[in-house]
Amino acid sequence: MIIEDAKIVSNELFSPEYGLIGIATEKLGKDFKAGQFLQMEIPGRPDLVLRRPMSPLRIKKRKSGWLIEVLYKLCGAGTRHLAGLAPAQDISVLGPLGRGFRAPVKGGEAVLVAGGTGLGPIFMLAEKLCSKHKVSFYYGAKCAAEIHIRSEIEKLPAKIVLCTDDGSLGGKGVVTDILSKQLIKNGGNPCIYACGPVPMLKAVQKLAVAQGLKLQVSLEERMGCGMGACLSCAVKSADGGYRMVCKDGPVFNADEMVL
């Protein structure tokens, strides 16, 4: 785990709700695994003390250090302030934190499912898996405007399935309905990976249980410290206890958790 004074190099708004920020770091990108996250300060707002947890979308090696790109949603005072920050702004980041995804067995098939800001860890995982595994990538959103980095997704050497609730791009309907039809049609024994809204994760879990498939989920929760001390991200586990999303996750085997 490293705390580093980094620098914003890009900050682009895709829509009134979503942005993509690029941060240059010297060391932080080196040991990141897909599914892990970082804690980002909100510079210029001393009243917003807590760092914001963010999952990288991409991590690229640079001549000097690393470029970490993060997809974020404008959902509160912190992220709305973040959206207004310009390149060259200094920013403090802490990471890598949490447990990431575990790869399938050698040669195993992977089915990836993303919704909303869950695209971040799922896209990063896809880039890691595509060279060694057969990958299917399912990405759903409300409308075409919320299907982000489409060109980069379609370059992946994977089966790509895009869908929107209103049918404005790809298949019409929620991603889990389309996933269900494809899983039944194709059969096999893939390992499923999912990140997105809780209703989506519940639906994917139901599919996995019905077909006896392994499922790893990355949970999105409000966090304070990011290291398991403040207990703000506690979620119920299947054994009747609780797990800290920041420390025990954010990636869990779905059968361990009560979604």
Side-chain angles (χ1 to χ4, degrees):
M1 180 176 62
I2 298 171
I3 184 167
E4 185 173 330
D5 291 327
K7 192 173 291 291
I8 296 172
V9 295
S10 62
N11 196 8
E12 174 189 2
L13 288 182
F14 288 127
S15 69
E17 289 191 76
Y18 288 92
L20 182 69
I21 189 168
I23 301 170
T25 74
E26 291 185 8
K27 302 177 181 178
L28 190 59
K30 181 180 179 181
D31 297 319
F32 252 101
K33 296 179 181 179
Q36 290 184 298
F37 67 98
L38 54 82
Q39 290 276 85
M40 186 184 302
E41 75 159 352
I42 305 298
R45 287 294 301 269
D47 56 317
L48 301 176
V49 177
L50 297 178
R51 295 172 181 263
R52 269 44 179 185
M54 304 275 185
S55 295
L57 175 86
R58 284 180 294 225
I59 297 179
K60 301 177 181 178
K61 186 71 176 72
R62 292 158 49 100
K63 289 183 178 179
S64 176
W66 304 82
L67 174 66
I68 300 177
E69 293 182 305
V70 175
L71 176 71
Y72 63 96
K73 184 174 183 178
L74 283 68
C75 55
T79 46
R80 293 190 182 282
H81 181 76
L82 187 70
L85 299 179
Q89 169 78 53
D90 293 329
I91 188 168
S92 175
V93 288
L94 171 69
L97 297 168
R99 295 196 311 168
F101 292 106
R102 281 82 66 195
V105 296
K106 186 176 181 181
E109 181 181 355
V111 172
L112 280 53
V113 189
T117 52
L119 174 64
I122 293 297
F123 181 79
M124 185 174 171
L125 178 65
E127 289 195 314
K128 299 286 186 182
L129 295 184
C130 278
S131 62
K132 298 181 180 179
H133 300 272
K134 180 181 178 181
V135 174
S136 298
F137 190 110
Y138 291 79
Y139 177 26
K142 293 179 182 178
C143 59
E146 292 191 7
I147 295 288
H148 306 304
I149 64 163
R150 178 184 174 187
S151 61
E152 287 90 337
I153 291 171
E154 292 179 336
K155 290 176 184 176
L156 292 170
K159 174 186 175 182
I160 307 298
V161 180
L162 305 178
C163 58
T164 49
D165 293 355
D166 63 1
S168 55
L169 178 65
K172 182 177 181 180
V174 296
V175 67
T176 47
D177 287 345
I178 294 172
L179 172 65
S180 175
K181 295 174 184 177
Q182 292 292 323
L183 285 177
I184 293 172
K185 177 181 178 181
N186 297 335
N189 188 36
C191 184
I192 306 177
Y193 301 83
C195 186
V198 172
M200 186 198 87
L201 296 182
K202 287 182 177 180
V204 177
Q205 184 183 45
K206 184 177 180 180
L207 290 174
V209 170
Q211 300 192 41
L213 301 176
K214 293 181 179 179
L215 167 63
Q216 294 177 36
V217 295
S218 178
L219 301 184
E220 300 174 321
E221 288 290 329
R222 292 183 178 273
M223 297 180 189
C225 67
M227 292 175 281
C230 70
L231 309 182
S232 65
C233 62
V235 291
K236 289 184 179 180
S237 57
D239 61 8
Y242 289 85
R243 299 288 186 273
M244 300 301 117
V245 171
C246 67
K247 182 180 179 181
D248 302 316
V251 176
F252 298 92
N253 291 324
D255 57 7
E256 298 175 359
M257 308 308 296
V258 177
L259 297 177

